[in-house]
Amino acid sequence: MFDQITLSNGLRLIGERLDHVRSVSVGLWLGAGSQYEIPPEAGVSHFLEHMAFKGTQKRTARQIAEEMDAVGGQLNAFTSKECTCFYAKVVDEDLPLAIDVLADLVTAPKFDPVELEKEKGVVLEEIAMAEDAPEDVVHELIMLAHFGDQPVARPILGSEERVSAFTRDDLYAYWRHMYAPRDAVLAIAGRYDWEQVVALAEKHLLSWDAGERYARDTQTHAVRPARLWREKDVEQMNLCLGFPGIAIGEKRSYAFSVVNSVLGGSMSSRLFQKIREESGLAYSIYSYPNSYTDCGLTTIYAAARPDSLKQVVEMTLREVRALAEKGMTRAEFEMARQQLKAGYILGQESTSARMNAAGRRLLLLNRTRSEEEVIRAIDGLTFEGANELAKELLSAEPSVALVGKGAEKALKGLNI
């Protein structure tokens, strides 16, 4: 069962108490991510996350690090398409410090101009590092190929041009309008006293206010799948095929996981066994599901030598079509369902995983789901339902992204 309350400024609190641990994970979730940016702001959500750690109105960057290190705590943050999360994990007795620091990072960043220029260099290095990794490039490219020029397809890191141009005023304006308590969640999991949590939240976050939130159209529309390529002087061809997926929170989201597991989401999957184990044509081949609030994507990734690419594509499409037309076997279904269930149960042993699940779900869907409800949903999956979904998703025309030396010519020679 969850503890829940909404403060008078609109901030939602959710907690899951676990008496058998001594740690506590706490995260401050914000409705700010790359999907809410307009083109001139590309990358600002991620850059703002970085700048919060460079100093607040009452702490320097060094003090932020030293205060958490002094108690052996963990402090970090991440930015995604639809949210930003600042989080900490500490021994239960240090929860007051964790909430104090997280609140400080989110509600009082300093945006020091000198530190801003320094951090631009750090983020530009991060962008360059991603650009040097063909696997990262092709995963970004498949989003653009599948969704077109829509917010969901924009890179979280932004571009070198935009990041280089950010000013303190840009960051302040975005922070002022997107870091708002009514669009935020404080999530906690582990050993805690709920009355203390509420008191700490009121002490550090009740005075938090913000301007009127930017009104942004983030609805994702269906577009015709495209075929995109990028030339890279690398030894392997990096390929992604994109098929439709399921939005986060949909009833069939667990069936989506089962379909993916059978296709290429595990070592026993069809793609891994056929293309890597039996044929030895690729070292890396897998599939994974992406789910957002109003759309989803099933992605297949493969890295292969140029002379093996055509065969890898043919075998991959053969397996995709077979799963769509003939469905999975009962043995595959039961194995995938058990993998999903076991993976979920094992993940529940982590306070961080529990905090992440509760915070993300409440922020994006405005609802919660207990462990018992999730297990019942997984147990309630049907063989017929999973196969219907596989047919629906994998019968569609795929989007294609290819990165490598001679990618344009190679793509034209593929029968997709």
Side-chain angles (χ1 to χ4, degrees):
M1 295 296 294
F2 295 102
D3 295 310
Q4 282 186 263
I5 192 173
T6 300
L7 302 186
S8 59
N9 63 353
L11 176 66
R12 289 164 288 172
L13 276 58
I14 184 169
E16 187 175 14
R17 182 172 171 82
L18 306 170
D19 291 323
H20 61 282
V21 300
R22 281 293 310 275
S23 67
V24 59
S25 294
V26 57
L28 199 42
W29 294 78
L30 303 145
S34 58
Q35 190 164 348
Y36 302 103
E37 300 165 353
I38 57 176
E41 298 168 340
V44 70
S45 300
H46 173 257
F47 193 75
L48 199 163
E49 173 224 310
H50 272 242
M51 282 302 300
F53 286 90
K54 303 307 291 184
T56 68
Q57 299 301 327
K58 67 178 183 180
R59 289 180 172 92
T60 64
R62 187 179 185 88
Q63 287 173 324
I64 293 168
E66 288 181 344
E67 286 188 32
M68 291 302 293
D69 285 350
V71 299
Q74 302 168 7
L75 178 68
N76 213 328
F78 65 83
T79 304
S80 68
K81 299 283 186 180
E82 298 182 298
C83 61
T84 300
C85 178
F86 293 82
Y87 61 94
K89 185 174 184 179
V90 294
V91 176
D92 56 351
E93 62 192 36
D94 297 314
L95 178 61
L97 173 64
I99 291 180
D100 181 6
V101 172
L102 290 176
D104 200 23
L105 292 171
V106 169
T107 67
K110 193 173 182 180
F111 299 140
D112 180 86
V114 175
E115 293 298 331
L116 186 147
E117 292 304 317
K118 291 181 185 177
E119 201 60 22
K120 282 183 181 180
V122 173
V123 175
L124 291 175
E125 287 296 328
E126 189 176 358
I127 292 173
M129 184 170 63
E131 186 65 25
D132 284 343
E135 186 171 349
D136 290 350
V137 174
V138 79
H139 288 303
E140 289 286 0
L141 201 59
I142 195 63
M143 292 291 291
L144 186 60
H146 197 81
F147 294 111
D149 186 19
Q150 299 190 80
V152 72
R154 294 173 187 153
I156 294 168
L157 298 181
S159 67
E160 182 178 342
E161 178 186 7
R162 290 312 312 152
V163 170
S164 298
F166 285 150
T167 66
R168 185 184 188 279
D169 288 344
D170 293 331
L171 267 66
Y172 181 82
Y174 189 81
W175 168 78
R176 177 68 177 159
H177 291 281
M178 297 301 289
Y179 277 41
R182 60 186 173 275
D183 295 302
V185 168
L186 180 70
I188 184 168
R191 178 174 287 195
Y192 62 81
D193 176 84
W194 184 243
E195 291 185 0
Q196 181 195 36
V197 171
V198 175
L200 288 168
E202 290 178 337
K203 176 182 178 181
H204 296 292
L205 292 163
L206 192 57
S207 61
W208 177 22
D209 197 8
E212 184 177 352
R213 183 177 171 88
Y214 286 141
R216 300 283 166 80
D217 179 14
T218 60
Q219 184 177 358
T220 305
H221 303 280
V223 299
R224 182 174 177 80
R227 301 184 178 195
L228 303 177
W229 69 88
R230 283 279 299 278
E231 297 291 339
K232 282 281 181 184
D233 189 11
V234 292
E235 295 301 316
Q236 288 184 307
M237 284 294 183
N238 291 261
L239 171 79
C240 275
L241 300 177
F243 294 86
I246 296 294
I248 185 174
E250 282 196 27
K251 291 182 179 179
R252 297 187 297 172
S253 59
Y254 296 116
F256 185 30
S257 295
V258 166
V259 171
N260 174 71
S261 181
V262 173
L263 176 62
S266 67
M267 290 180 66
S268 61
S269 67
R270 294 188 178 190
L271 292 178
F272 190 88
Q273 287 296 316
K274 290 287 186 181
I275 295 173
R276 173 175 163 148
E277 297 297 277
E278 294 181 17
S279 303
L281 290 173
Y283 172 77
S284 183
I285 182 160
Y286 56 84
S287 66
Y288 63 95
N290 269 341
S291 292
Y292 306 101
T293 52
D294 68 348
C295 63
L297 174 65
T298 305
T299 301
I300 297 171
Y301 168 79
R305 299 187 311 273
D307 59 355
S308 300
L309 179 64
K310 188 172 183 179
Q311 191 175 357
V312 167
V313 169
E314 290 173 351
M315 293 181 67
T316 297
L317 291 176
R318 191 179 306 135
E319 294 303 321
V320 169
R321 289 165 184 152
L323 185 55
E325 296 169 5
K326 300 178 181 178
M328 64 190 76
T329 67
R330 285 195 176 272
E332 287 176 319
F333 169 74
E334 293 297 342
M335 181 185 295
R337 180 167 62 172
Q338 187 58 33
Q339 287 175 342
L340 177 61
K341 184 176 178 179
Y344 173 76
I345 292 172
L346 292 174
Q348 290 297 93
E349 296 182 2
S350 162
T351 59
S352 298
R354 285 178 178 260
M355 181 278 291
N356 274 303
R360 185 188 298 271
R361 191 172 184 85
L362 187 59
L363 178 72
L364 298 181
L365 301 176
N366 199 29
R367 59 179 184 265
T368 61
R369 200 166 207 181
S370 69
E371 180 178 351
E372 292 75 18
E373 288 176 311
V374 173
I375 291 176
R376 280 201 303 271
I378 294 173
D379 286 340
L381 292 173
T382 67
F383 175 65
E384 293 77 14
N387 275 329
E388 287 176 5
L389 184 60
K391 182 177 182 179
E392 176 185 328
L393 300 181
L394 301 179
S395 295
E397 177 188 355
S399 51
V400 185
L402 187 64
V403 173
K405 188 187 300 183
E408 181 180 10
K409 181 179 179 181
L411 185 56
K412 291 178 179 178
L414 298 178
N415 185 22
I416 302 177

